[in-house]
Amino acid sequence: MTSLPQSTEKSLGLVIDLDTCVGCHACVISCKEWNTGAYGAPLADVDPYGAQPVGSFLNRVHTFEVKPAEGPAAVTHFPKSCLHCEDAPCVTVCPTGASYKRVEDGIVLVNESDCIGCGLCAWACPYGAREMDPVEKVMKKCTLCVDRIYNENIPEEDRVPSCVRTCPAGARHFGDLSDPDSGVFKLVEERGGFDLMPEQGTKPVNKYLPPRPKQEAAPEMDVLGPLLAESTEGAGGFFGWLDRTLEKL
Amino acid sequence: MHPAPSIILFTALSGLGFGLMVWLGLMPGDKGAWVAATFCILALALASIGLCSSLFHLGHPERAWKALSQWRSSWLSREGVIAIAALASFSLYGLLWVTSGTPNTLVGALSAALALATILCTAMIYTQMKTVPRWHSPLTPILFFAYALTGGALLAGKVTFSLWLLAALGGLQAFTWFKGDKAFAAAGHTMNTATGLNPDAKMRLLEAPHSGPNYLQKEMVFRIGRKHSQKLRIIAITLLAILPLALGLLFEVKHMLAGILVLSHIGGLLVSRWLFFAEAEHVVGLYYGQR
């Protein structure tokens, strides 16, 4: 079971638009909310209201400052979760067969009742996509909300991963990345979607869309200044008379 | 990487045990039944204690038996299967040796081969990690073999062999540290490749995804004690190679001194194994602006 499939029928995954992401962490929270009550053991928090809270999450948003050789620096919010790699190193290192990649849709999952909590898959993942649950002591990872996307008991528009459904900026897209007719495939083509750490040879399914290069700042224009400066020009009535009289003194 | 005591003990003790099995299996020498039994029990005890201590590292040790199932793809699984085979084969060898008075060459050779294979599997668990450039090198299995054979030779009382091996191991360890220090940069992983953003840009982490530590940082971005790594390297190499080598060359190695040599070597081995983990930098640190 821990051998990878030769090929998968579909390659379900996410496309994350770094140009659109505003770094609100809504995807992090909705992911935690859905997945703590859904597939597998709950996502535990230890000491959640104390000084050193620690918990397992399947999705995290990092924020980077990017200073190009020329031009102004930009801030990029960077959501990161399992990339459901084609050559997933986390699957082949698993000694029990708990980690596997599904033939039907390419989703990488953990069978928690077989997981011994050795942590080797987390070591093998370059992206930090796997976290050991601090209470259940089994490995947790993104399931691509496998219990939502095929769930006929929920409205059709909800049958996407929780993070995609919740993103207020529309920065997250879900679909079959092996299908040239899919929206996500076209999006990757049009926008030049790329892989993370391609030199690791993991062939991630998830793709990232680059942020637009930041424009040179426009010449400084004082918009509010003139309106805020103290001026009595054109004042009429009693205050106009008072202004003129006091000016003469 | 986090230097978990259970894993340090496991790799160090099982390495010594299986290393001793190689020497006893291939060059048993002329030993009486009691002496042979003592040596065999020592080898089996070291290997078993090592393997048992690795179980403390698991979240669910009660399911550890499931780890024997995936030997086709997983080095960890292979290690479990071959270690059990080596223990079984060597137990049979020891039993035949003690009862019949003469060691069986065939079973001895088989036990030695299985012990060597176990050492290779242990090393490959770390070597296969592309995510840890310091480990992802042919030097890792070579070093693990050198440690196991040197420690095994010392324990087996093969004085001449162990002195040569101590010298070789010292040089090899120093070379591995030297190469390892350059491995991360040589692998070409940067914050830019990790995020796929502008390769020419200067990047820094502006805001971490969470204010507290998480599993990844505790496990993969272990930094405590790294600043003392140079001092620890000197301590390690002195204890594991230089001191035993000097004592062995200056004095005739007899019981008491042999004990000191072995203890010094094991002390150095534990320090160097601690460094093996503590100094290993995982690429995931790039997402945290740490190494």
Side-chain angles (χ1 to χ4, degrees), chain B residues 5-249:
Chain B
S6 57
I7 292 294
I8 293 174
L9 269 184
F10 152 59
T11 59
L13 295 185
S14 70
L16 288 169
F18 288 113
L20 181 55
M21 283 182 205
V22 174
W23 287 103
L24 293 177
L26 294 178
M27 304 173 76
D30 211 9
K31 291 183 177 68
W34 282 107
V35 179
T38 312
F39 272 104
C40 290
I41 288 168
L42 178 65
L44 288 168
L46 284 169
S48 318
I49 293 169
L51 290 171
C52 288
S53 80
S54 76
L55 298 181
F56 289 104
H57 180 65
L58 302 180
H60 285 274
E62 78 281 5
R63 301 178 191 155
W65 59 273
K66 293 189 177 186
L68 303 176
S69 64
Q70 302 300 314
W71 49 270
R72 281 183 215 84
S73 50
S74 163
W75 282 105
L76 181 53
S77 186
R78 283 174 202 159
E79 182 197 40
V81 173
I82 298 177
I84 290 171
L87 288 174
S89 165
F90 189 80
S91 301
L92 176 69
Y93 173 69
L95 204 65
L96 290 175
W97 187 2
V98 172
T99 50
S100 73
T102 46
N104 182 311
T105 324
L106 201 67
V107 185
L110 177 69
S111 306
L114 287 168
L116 282 171
T118 310
I119 297 161
L120 177 70
C121 290
T122 308
M124 284 310 293
I125 294 170
Y126 307 106
T127 311
Q128 68 178 337
M129 292 290 159
K130 250 185 163 173
T131 49
V132 183
R134 188 184 280 275
W135 292 348
H136 191 60
S137 150
L139 283 170
T140 305
I142 295 172
L143 194 68
F144 271 63
F145 277 128
Y147 270 108
L149 292 178
T150 309
L154 276 171
L155 289 171
K158 310 282 182 198
V159 177
T160 319
F161 279 113
S162 57
L163 293 181
W164 282 106
L165 280 165
L166 281 169
L169 175 65
L172 188 65
Q173 175 63 83
F175 182 65
T176 309
W177 281 330
F178 172 75
K179 292 290 278 182
D181 287 346
K182 298 173 176 175
F184 201 100
H189 307 299
T190 61
M191 213 183 236
N192 305 58
T193 70
T195 57
L197 294 170
N198 186 345
D200 305 317
K202 217 170 129 183
M203 289 187 65
R204 73 183 177 102
L205 184 73
L206 191 63
E207 271 183 275
H210 37 89
S211 51
N214 76 346
Y215 168 75
L216 299 169
Q217 287 166 296
K218 284 187 191 170
E219 190 73 11
M220 265 58 104
V221 199
F222 182 86
R223 301 166 90 190
I224 307 155
R226 268 199 208 153
K227 67 171 178 175
H228 298 302
S229 66
Q230 290 303 332
K231 284 178 201 162
L232 287 169
R233 283 179 181 184
I234 292 168
I235 293 170
I237 207 147
T238 307
L239 286 177
L240 77 88
I242 298 171
L243 185 67
L245 191 61
L247 290 175
L249 290 173

